[in-house]
Amino acid sequence: MFVQSRRGSIRVLAQVSGIAGSASIVALAQQPFTEEAVARGVNYTVQYPNAFGCGLAFADLNNDGTPDLITLGRTGSAPTIGIFQNNGLGSFIDRRTTSGIASLPQASGVSCGDYDGDGDLDIYITTYMAGHHLLRNNGNFTFTDVSAAAGVNDDGAGMGSCWADFDGDGWLDLYVGNRTGSTMPNGEGSPVMNKLYRNRGDGTFVDLAEAQHVDAGDAPTWQPGFFDFDRDADADLYISNDKGASANCAWRNMMFENVDGDYVDISQQSGTDGCIDAMSTTMGDYDNNGFQDIYVTNLPVGNYLYLNQGDGTFVDRAAEAGVAGYHVGWGALMFDYDHDGWQDLYVCSVNTPNFLFDNNGGWPATDVAAAMGVGLRANSFCVAGADIDGDGDIDFAVAPTSSRVRLYINHEGETRSWAKFRVVGEGHNRWGVGTNIDVRTGQAWQVREVIAGSAYKSQDDLIAHFGLNDSEIMDEIRVKWPGGAMRTLTNYPANRKWTLYPPAALGDTNADGVVDLVDFNALVDCWTGCNPGGISAGCEMMDFNGDSMVEDSDFDGFEAVCTIPASDCDRNNESDLRDIFRGLRADDNRNGRLDICENAGDMNCDGAKDGIDIEPFIVAMEDAEMYAACWPGCGRMRADMNFDGRLNNFDVDPFVDCLLGECP
């Protein structure tokens, strides 16, 4: 009997023989997924039972290009928040005891955003009626609790949270879901509603939820989510609420459209106001029509898949798509696990094995969790995804209750092409949260959005990830940042991680706000004339016209923003910088000046241009052999002061001018 994962990627070959009542099984290849949490350094058991599951997050906390892991749910007085540093190879170093984070045994949900615009991802942790916590990232795997000073330490029954710049001022704002009406330990009801914390840009926030009519009233919210459903470059808001069905539709899910920084309730007209016992909210383009859909988990009556029609309305197609589940669903991860160009769904369940719905564009999807080795049955609540080992496919972590965190390493995606994108944002939104990326291979388009705070109480890595099937080139990449800045790139190779820069950041390699000599030398190093294979990772910001090359047309864009004074010292009617960039003139000391001009007139090679150079200048004009004998190693053509390739009387006047301090 042969067992293989779909479309021919053979993972297990089993031979079963019934001869003489014997049977043998021979495993010949890697399983599609392998569970490796403890082996990779993540030994963390979720213990806290009262917050309806505890979240986890993948986030690059030290800006080294690899996702680190945050886990919640341990109890006791010792450090309870798991901070695991990725060592760059996909294994983790436990940083709990040195993180500076206090013991938070009632931690519930987690999300990450750079609230202070310093480039480091900060951590927000909700708790179950014990005060929420904003942890400022100090950049060295230590964190400072700034909750009270920032004004985001409400003591609601905290569930999920999310980040986006909803008002377009460049600073990330924070939305917090509080399960209003939950019972306090003393039996009293919690009065704390949901919060929309607007970032003032000075380290503090102000709550605008009531003013913006997005506090959800007394609805028991599980998970909010910022996303741009209408593709107009601002952050819309969706909220999943519990107990809708059981309370005769007293509470429904809510959709708010962002209209110039103000929220408008379009729940009913959009068709997303499900009267259900909603838990998780997960966004992604499941049907590849270019618009973000919404997956909502529910009680056993079935999960919802709201497909975005692109006209402001949504239609539930969960049953048709085969992803209704019909079990108690919690967290969900939308990702293309096998890189076939269609996003799949991993769904956590209670009392039944988790699902992995395999979407190949032809519905209904098939549950392949058991075959892929991820059909965990352990009362799972939360899930988050990231490429932890850098091999191009998405791995994921699952947090069950009263059990250890699982880490599933993906091997199935290794068989097909992929691409990853780190988005550099504009202004203080350094991680590009809210950016949409569309990728075309052939005639097929896919879209991803950078979302901070996803699924149930958790967060996926902020790297946008695409499965490209067998494509080796992305024909077109369209990027749209919050606020509307756009770029188009073409012919970028697959199977690499690329960085996407907004137009205003092009050319500024060290992000110091000035395009200068440091950046020019980086441009020279990126010239594709010496790299016929095209652009290399690290040179994306020098590709001004987005054609996957760094060439003359890109120099034009660079020159337009460069602060180096223009010069043409060799009088060839081309700028000296262009001559260096093209390799037509040498700049061995990389100071942005032509060596031929710097050396002209320094006849004895002592680094100065003075009266001592007069004699060798005359000798060079009259007797090349004597010049070479008297000043070995000094090029005779240093006397070619007008750079015409000849030594004659026309070089005398420029030489005299040079002695007077007017060298070219």
Side-chain angles (χ1 to χ4, degrees):
M1 177 179 65
F2 295 92
V3 182
Q4 65 183 47
S5 62
R6 68 180 176 84
R7 287 188 297 279
S9 178
I10 297 177
R11 294 299 182 189
V12 178
L13 175 62
Q15 182 181 26
V16 181
S17 172
I19 299 176
S22 65
S24 62
I25 299 177
V26 183
L28 297 182
Q30 184 70 275
Q31 294 290 327
F33 284 86
T34 52
E35 199 289 302
E36 302 181 23
V38 175
R40 290 178 180 262
V42 179
N43 192 353
Y44 186 95
T45 298
V46 178
Q47 297 166 306
Y48 183 48
N50 297 320
F52 309 99
C54 299
L56 39 75
F58 282 109
D60 184 0
L61 297 174
N62 62 341
N63 282 325
D64 68 347
T66 60
D68 309 299
L69 177 62
I70 305 163
T71 57
L72 314 180
R74 286 188 67 85
T75 60
S77 58
T80 58
I81 304 301
I83 301 291
F84 296 94
Q85 177 187 355
N86 193 319
N87 68 356
L89 300 173
S91 291
F92 294 87
I93 303 167
D94 192 337
R95 299 296 189 192
R96 274 179 286 181
T97 59
T98 58
S99 70
I101 303 174
S103 181
L104 303 175
Q106 292 172 298
S108 175
V110 58
S111 64
C112 299
D114 181 11
Y115 86 96
D116 52 2
D118 66 352
D120 295 323
L121 288 173
D122 309 296
I123 304 173
Y124 190 74
I125 295 176
T126 63
T127 71
Y128 196 65
M129 304 178 190
H132 307 332
H133 296 265
L134 176 60
L135 307 172
R136 187 183 66 215
N137 190 339
N138 300 322
N140 56 357
F141 280 97
T142 67
F143 301 84
T144 301
D145 193 327
V146 296
S147 315
V152 294
N153 59 334
D154 71 78
D155 58 356
M159 297 299 155
S161 61
C162 53
W163 298 85
D165 177 15
F166 89 89
D167 57 355
D169 67 351
W171 295 94
L172 285 185
D173 310 300
L174 173 66
Y175 190 92
V176 181
N178 286 315
R179 199 172 187 273
T180 304
S182 294
T183 302
M184 296 282 281
N186 61 5
E188 298 177 359
S190 168
V192 181
M193 297 180 184
N194 295 354
K195 302 292 185 180
L196 174 60
Y197 289 117
R198 178 183 175 270
N199 191 336
R200 290 189 174 110
D202 61 359
T204 68
F205 294 76
V206 58
D207 177 27
L208 298 181
E210 185 176 1
Q212 287 280 347
H213 308 291
V214 295
D215 59 12
D218 61 351
T221 294
W222 283 123
Q223 179 66 40
F226 283 120
F227 76 125
D228 185 10
F229 84 88
D230 50 3
R231 303 297 303 268
D232 64 352
D234 57 24
D236 308 302
L237 176 65
Y238 189 72
I239 303 171
S240 67
N241 294 315
D242 192 14
K243 303 301 183 184
S246 55
N248 297 318
C249 296
W251 301 296
R252 292 176 175 270
N253 286 3
M254 301 173 177
M255 171 75 86
F256 297 94
E257 180 183 2
N258 190 329
V259 181
D260 299 325
D262 290 318
Y263 281 114
V264 177
D265 190 340
I266 61 167
S267 308
Q268 183 175 7
Q269 68 193 63
S270 67
T272 59
D273 60 337
C275 179
I276 57 178
D277 295 339
M279 280 78 163
S280 177
T281 298
T282 306
M283 285 74 172
D285 185 11
Y286 192 75
D287 58 356
N288 279 356
N289 73 338
F291 292 89
Q292 302 290 339
D293 308 309
I294 309 170
Y295 187 72
V296 183
T297 55
N298 190 16
L299 290 181
V301 293
N303 303 332
Y304 278 51
L305 175 62
Y306 288 117
L307 294 183
N308 191 335
Q309 304 300 292
D311 59 1
T313 67
F314 293 73
V315 179
D316 175 29
R317 290 287 184 266
E320 178 184 340
V323 296
Y326 301 111
H327 292 291
V328 179
W330 289 95
L333 170 66
M334 194 179 297
F335 73 127
D336 185 1
Y337 84 91
D338 55 359
H339 287 166
D340 68 347
W342 294 89
Q343 295 211 78
D344 311 293
L345 274 165
Y346 186 81
V347 184
C348 292
S349 299
V350 173
N351 300 321
T352 58
N354 294 347
F355 297 101
L356 177 56
F357 293 116
D358 186 351
N359 175 18
N360 63 4
W363 295 350
T366 304
D367 176 22
V368 296
M372 295 292 109
V374 294
L376 176 65
R377 182 169 184 165
N379 285 352
S380 301
F381 281 84
C382 300
V383 58
D387 179 12
I388 70 158
D389 51 3
D391 64 351
D393 50 29
I394 294 183
D395 315 294
F396 63 92
V398 180
T401 57
S402 303
S403 182
R404 64 177 178 82
V405 169
R406 308 304 206 275
L407 183 59
Y408 290 104
I409 305 302
N410 188 346
H411 308 287
E412 181 68 18
E414 299 168 3
T415 62
R416 299 178 184 86
S417 295
W418 54 272
K420 299 189 296 186
F421 298 98
R422 158 77 159 95
V423 178
V424 173
E426 295 191 293
H428 307 291
N429 183 3
R430 301 278 291 274
W431 288 79
V433 173
T435 301
N436 273 272
I437 306 138
D438 294 84
V439 169
R440 178 176 64 83
T441 53
Q443 300 301 312
W445 284 94
Q446 300 180 60
V447 64
R448 303 285 187 271
E449 182 173 346
V450 181
I451 293 176
S454 51
Y456 179 64
K457 296 187 179 183
S458 300
Q459 179 160 315
D460 303 328
D461 188 22
L462 295 181
I463 301 300
H465 191 107
F466 292 79
L468 303 176
N469 212 334
D470 58 356
S471 298
E472 298 298 323
I473 293 290
M474 290 171 283
D475 297 295
E476 191 172 355
I477 305 164
R478 295 179 183 174
V479 192
K480 189 174 186 179
W481 280 264
M486 300 178 66
R487 289 195 70 203
T488 298
L489 312 175
T490 57
N491 298 319
Y492 268 66
N495 302 312
R496 299 185 199 178
K497 179 181 178 181
W498 299 103
T499 302
L500 300 173
Y501 296 93
L506 294 179
D508 186 9
T509 55
N510 54 3
D512 63 353
V514 180
V515 180
D516 53 18
L517 180 62
V518 171
D519 307 303
F520 173 69
N521 285 324
L523 174 73
V524 172
D525 292 338
C526 286
W527 180 49
T528 51
C530 295
N531 180 20
I535 195 169
S536 299
C539 291
E540 301 93 320
M541 74 155 42
M542 296 303 179
D543 185 11
F544 280 76
N545 65 358
D547 66 351
S548 74
M549 303 287 286
V550 179
E551 50 197 346
D552 238 29
S553 56
D554 299 300
F555 179 85
D556 295 337
F558 181 89
E559 193 172 42
V561 297
C562 181
T563 59
I564 303 174
S567 63
D568 179 20
C569 77
D570 60 354
R571 304 181 184 92
N572 69 344
N573 296 318
E574 292 284 1
S575 75
D576 296 332
L577 294 183
R578 190 185 294 272
D579 284 341
I580 296 170
F581 173 70
R582 288 175 168 174
L584 300 179
R585 298 289 193 188
D587 176 25
D588 290 339
N589 60 2
R590 295 173 70 86
N591 67 352
R593 301 181 61 190
L594 304 189
D595 293 342
I596 189 175
C597 294
E598 287 199 304
N599 295 332
D602 180 15
M603 302 307 301
N604 63 348
C605 293
D606 65 354
K609 301 176 183 181
D610 49 31
I612 300 176
D613 295 303
I614 294 176
E615 180 183 356
F617 177 80
I618 295 172
V619 172
M621 293 290 237
E622 295 179 347
D623 191 332
E625 292 185 6
M626 180 180 292
Y627 177 81
C630 294
W631 293 278
C634 284
R636 178 170 176 260
M637 293 308 291
R638 288 179 178 226
D640 181 14
M641 300 300 297
N642 64 352
F643 310 109
D644 65 355
R646 298 183 296 275
L647 301 182
N648 52 39
N649 290 336
F650 293 106
D651 298 302
V652 176
D653 288 344
F655 178 74
V656 174
D657 291 340
C658 188
L659 296 183
L660 297 175
E662 299 179 5
C663 291

